[in-house]
Amino acid sequence: MDKSWLNIRNRVDQRYRDGVEGFLNWAFSQPGVNTMIRCPFKGCMDTVFKLKNDVRGDLLKKGFWDSYKVWDLHGEVLARVENSNVTHRDEVEDDSNEDDDITGMIHDACGYINVENNMNSSEGNEEPNIHATKFYKLLKDAQTELYSGCTKVSKLSFIVKLLHLKCLNHWSNKSMDELLIFFKEVLPDGSFVPTSFYEANKVLRDLGLGYTKIDTCKNDCILYWRYYANAQSCPKCGKSRWKSQKHKGKKVAHKVLQHFPIKPRLQRLYMAKETSKKMRWHKEENIDDGVMRHPSDSIE
């Protein structure tokens, strides 16, 4: 399906208007669609159902949601499956190859471009630093078969895909533990399936996708952080930081905030060639025609 019209910024352009009509005809022709569909306008982001004329008005006046590339909420994925042929299968295979670039993902996460150069750069018997150690461990896991004879999935790609499915389908930690135990039972002996979600989750930390835990006040008054890091109760409401019961000999906080640090994530975005190019788009490729369409178009 042609989506080139999505890159046209001038919404008066006839090519953009024809593209909108093509999208609407496509979306309303899908099975199960009656009078309303999800509106892919930037402000609605597919969360609001609207009539055809209302969707058309939003798209022509305010634009299409930039991040919505695969129209899976409007039947595109379903159509790919139902109308699969040789050409479509080739496209799917190409997509899967791109998604399965685990080695490339490791390079992007760790910032190493050439493995051989990095391996040869170590002098004598000097031990690699902690970042290089994680990098080589991940690289080894990406090249290790999940079990003997398994050529489609590596030890690392299995964990990454499984955690991805957990996020998409909102599986609980308990269900993940039970699923991993089941995999361990049915797969051949010696497989590298982790025994628990906790063990599998360690991979995310090595990939730079971890988070830090910060205790919070029961009534959301403060974070037990910096000045209050060692406080035992909230200085504002007086509530205790801890629950009355103990868990395995350790105190348990009433609430815990999961903090995802922004700095390492930004660094990782600039490590990858493709994403760093997109991060610089507003400076290098934004069209300066006097019309404000993006915050970067403003003077300050």
Side-chain angles (χ1 to χ4, degrees):
M1 181 180 300
D2 180 28
K3 297 181 183 179
S4 59
W5 57 275
L6 293 172
N7 299 320
I8 301 175
R9 298 296 177 181
N10 182 7
R11 291 188 285 275
V12 182
D13 192 306
Q14 188 60 43
R15 292 173 297 171
Y16 178 84
R17 301 178 70 89
D18 292 341
V20 170
E21 287 301 321
F23 167 77
L24 291 174
N25 293 334
W26 159 270
F28 278 93
S29 67
Q30 298 305 307
V33 175
N34 189 6
T35 58
M36 303 178 76
I37 62 170
R38 295 176 183 268
C39 180
F41 150 59
K42 296 178 181 179
C44 296
M45 296 190 296
D46 290 327
T47 60
V48 181
F49 286 85
K50 292 185 178 181
L51 298 171
K52 188 173 186 177
N53 287 336
D54 295 331
V55 176
R56 180 188 291 109
D58 283 345
L59 296 181
L60 293 178
K61 295 177 182 177
K62 304 170 185 178
F64 203 94
W65 182 23
D66 293 336
S67 300
Y68 189 41
K69 303 296 185 183
V70 179
W71 300 337
D72 53 338
L73 297 177
H74 295 88
E76 183 174 7
V77 174
L78 179 62
R80 284 182 180 178
V81 175
E82 291 178 346
N83 301 322
S84 60
N85 51 34
V86 176
T87 303
H88 287 155
R89 283 198 295 270
D90 291 340
E91 291 177 357
V92 172
E93 288 178 1
D94 292 340
D95 291 342
S96 64
N97 289 335
E98 182 178 356
D99 292 340
D100 288 343
D101 186 13
I102 298 296
T103 303
M105 179 184 67
I106 297 171
H107 282 273
D108 293 343
C110 300
Y112 289 92
I113 305 302
N114 191 305
V115 180
E116 295 181 357
N117 290 344
N118 282 281
M119 294 179 69
N120 295 332
S121 63
S122 57
E123 300 179 359
N125 295 323
E126 181 182 355
E127 292 292 331
N129 60 37
I130 185 172
H131 299 291
T133 302
K134 289 181 179 179
F135 171 73
Y136 292 127
K137 180 182 180 298
L138 289 169
L139 201 61
K140 181 180 178 181
D141 289 345
Q143 298 169 350
T144 301
E145 295 179 348
L146 182 63
Y147 55 87
S148 180
C150 178
T151 59
K152 294 185 177 181
V153 183
S154 68
K155 175 182 177 181
L156 180 61
S157 64
F158 172 79
I159 296 175
V160 172
K161 289 181 178 180
L162 196 62
L163 293 175
H164 185 212
L165 289 173
K166 179 185 186 299
C167 294
L168 290 177
N169 297 286
H170 307 288
W171 296 345
S172 66
N173 295 353
K174 182 180 178 182
S175 65
M176 274 289 291
D177 288 339
E178 294 176 350
L179 180 62
L180 289 170
I181 292 173
F182 175 70
F183 277 137
K184 201 73 175 177
E185 292 176 352
V186 297
L187 291 179
D189 293 339
S191 66
F192 291 99
V193 175
T195 57
S196 65
F197 168 66
Y198 174 79
E199 184 180 337
N201 204 33
K202 290 180 181 178
V203 176
L204 296 184
R205 291 198 289 271
D206 289 339
L207 286 172
L209 301 175
Y211 56 86
T212 56
K213 294 182 179 180
I214 304 175
D215 295 346
T216 66
C217 171
K218 181 179 181 179
N219 296 322
D220 301 322
C221 300
I222 65 164
L223 296 176
Y224 290 102
W225 182 57
R226 288 190 177 179
Y227 306 114
Y228 303 118
N230 298 319
Q232 301 299 307
S233 61
C234 177
K236 295 187 176 181
C237 67
K239 295 292 184 180
S240 174
R241 175 177 181 172
W242 314 106
K243 294 180 180 179
S244 57
Q245 66 271 24
K246 294 184 178 181
H247 180 66
K248 294 183 181 180
K250 296 182 179 179
K251 293 182 178 180
V252 181
H254 279 288
K255 286 186 178 180
V256 178
L257 170 72
Q258 294 178 344
H259 175 239
F260 296 83
I262 188 65
K263 287 184 180 180
R265 283 161 172 77
L266 289 175
Q267 290 172 345
R268 192 164 53 255
L269 286 172
Y270 279 103
M271 285 177 182
K273 181 178 179 181
E274 292 300 321
T275 53
S276 64
K277 181 180 179 181
K278 294 177 181 178
M279 294 288 286
R280 301 193 306 272
W281 169 87
H282 65 283
K283 178 66 176 178
E284 299 175 354
E285 299 185 29
N286 193 15
I287 300 174
D288 185 10
D289 57 0
V291 179
M292 185 171 178
R293 304 185 182 89
H294 189 274
S296 61
D297 293 327
S298 61
I299 298 176
E300 295 182 358

